[in-house]
Amino acid sequence: MGQYRVFSAVVAAALALSSTSNAHMIMKTPAPFGNPDNSPLSSSGANFPCKVTGDAATFYSGVDATEMAVGTDQTLSFTGSAVHGGGSCQLAITSDKQPSASSTWQVIQSIEGGCPTKDGTNPGEYTYQIPEGVAAGDYVFAWTWISKLAGQPEYYMNCAPIKVTGGSAKRSPEETKELATRAASLPNLFVANLESVNSCKTTPGTDPTFPDPGTTVNKFLAGQAKYAEVDGTNCFPVGATGGGSGSGSGSATTTAAAAEPTSTTADAAAPTTSSATGFVTSVLPTTSPTTTAASPTTASASSAPTSSGTPSTTGGLTGECTSEGMFNCVDGSSFQQCASGTWTSLQAMPAGTTCAAGQSTTLWSREIRRIRTPRRSLPSTF
């Protein structure tokens, strides 16, 4: 009898483990980093982004990049069964090879309601595209999910390496310029329910609508979803403001060029700078008074080789250029890009943003954002 009880206990434990391993949702395609489990990110935000564990260099390795051609249909699929009635998801990319808490994530598609299930019961498959205008190169792709019926605020995130290849369409110089202009206003990733990232909270039992979803938005359960607007004031990572040109006006394309991976270290006494993103961030201990955003700061230009061109009367460059995708920032307030072998016309930076003066492969330099964050809550990669 005793042996039978032990056997029964072992079987019960195995069944429970099997049930847990099949619960929640894990991104299946594209293939994610880190062999992730099915749980949401820690509410402390310690494993943001990507549910990173251990050494970042090890975590962001060992997975073959999924090749994606610009403008062609890609498939997002899942493993697991606990869809929690659905919720809202976003798909985003970053040029950082080893994303950290200060990385810039640019949203390429938002799904408001009906994700990761369209019928409220079974996991679904979703089609998306890498937008026209994204520069060819290596990126990290992210799927994020705010579940609807979890009973408590949650935030899921899996990431995968991808290799973007150029589109086949032949475009006129005017069309190329338009794509470059749209790049500046692609919205930032919405993040909530993670204590060390921001103070944003969502309401359980609802399908959040994103403050800045971009122009590619799906509503698969329109008429059935229980939509809830979220105040977007504090719903973006440190250093991000929610979109290039303000809430709701993000564009569907980006020309972000791949950047070498960098890491930043939290320092309560002085700001730290990520050269990959151009962001300047500062973290204050909880004993310090709340500080409003400081004046805009301009990051130093990248050490990338300069591209040819003739100075114009407006301070920009004209004529031919040789470094495809290279940005040229003038006085921190306007920019242009080397596209199809020719410099585009100067475009004004979106309100509230500045760019790194000179030529570089990265463009952004945003306002200093100061937050009150307990030191003990800081993720190791912050």
Side-chain angles (χ1 to χ4, degrees), residues 105-108 185-189 212-215 236 242-244 249-252:
W105 293 92
Q106 297 176 291
V107 175
I108 60 174
S185 59
L186 194 76
N188 287 113
L189 180 67
D212 197 353
T215 57
F236 299 90
S249 58
S251 171

Side-chain angles (χ1 to χ4, degrees), residues 301-323:
S302 168
S303 58
T306 57
S307 183
S308 58
T310 303
S312 67
T313 56
T314 60
L317 297 174
T318 60
E320 296 182 354
C321 55
T322 57
S323 298

Side-chain angles (χ1 to χ4, degrees), residues 56-306:
T58 301
F59 178 84
Y60 292 116
S61 64
V63 180
D64 292 334
T66 300
E67 188 170 304
M68 299 184 181
V70 168
T72 62
D73 286 350
Q74 309 296 330
T75 299
L76 174 69
S77 64
F78 306 95
T79 58
S81 58
V83 295
H84 291 317
S88 296
C89 303
Q90 284 192 309
L91 310 182
I93 59 173
T94 180
S95 58
D96 287 358
K97 307 301 189 305
Q98 297 177 21
S100 68
S102 60
S103 293
T104 306
W105 293 92
Q106 297 176 291
V107 175
I108 60 174
Q109 185 164 321
S110 293
I111 305 172
E112 296 180 333
C115 182
T117 177
K118 299 176 184 178
D119 61 11
T121 303
N122 302 302
E125 288 192 352
Y126 301 81
T127 299
Y128 63 96
Q129 294 184 355
I130 301 298
E132 295 285 353
V134 173
D138 296 323
Y139 295 83
V140 173
F141 171 94
W143 159 71
T144 67
W145 171 38
I146 298 175
S147 55
K148 181 176 183 178
L149 301 178
Q152 60 187 6
E154 292 182 335
Y155 190 84
Y156 291 78
M157 185 178 193
N158 291 157
C159 301
I162 64 172
K163 184 178 184 62
V164 174
T165 59
S168 59
K170 296 290 185 179
R171 298 190 178 278
S172 67
E174 291 74 18
E175 290 173 321
T176 302
K177 291 177 183 179
E178 174 64 20
L179 291 175
T181 302
R182 290 183 180 184
S185 59
L186 194 76
N188 287 113
L189 180 67
F190 176 94
V191 182
N193 309 322
L194 305 178
E195 294 173 2
S196 64
V197 179
N198 56 40
S199 60
C200 183
K201 296 291 184 183
T202 58
T203 303
T206 65
D207 301 275
T209 58
F210 300 109
D212 197 353
T215 57
T216 305
V217 185
N218 294 117
K219 294 180 181 286
F220 291 107
L221 295 182
Q224 304 176 47
K226 185 178 180 181
Y227 290 117
E229 293 185 6
V230 179
D231 179 1
T233 305
N234 299 310
C235 293
F236 299 90
V238 173
T241 57
S245 58
S247 178
S249 58
S251 171
T253 57
T254 174
T255 51
E260 291 300 320
T262 62
S263 60
T264 59
T265 303
D267 186 344
T272 59
T273 303
S274 167
S275 61
T277 62
F279 286 165
V280 180
T281 61
S282 178
V283 179
L284 304 179
T286 54
T287 55
S288 300
T290 303
T291 306
T292 56
S295 58
T297 303
T298 302
S300 59
S302 168
S303 58
T306 57

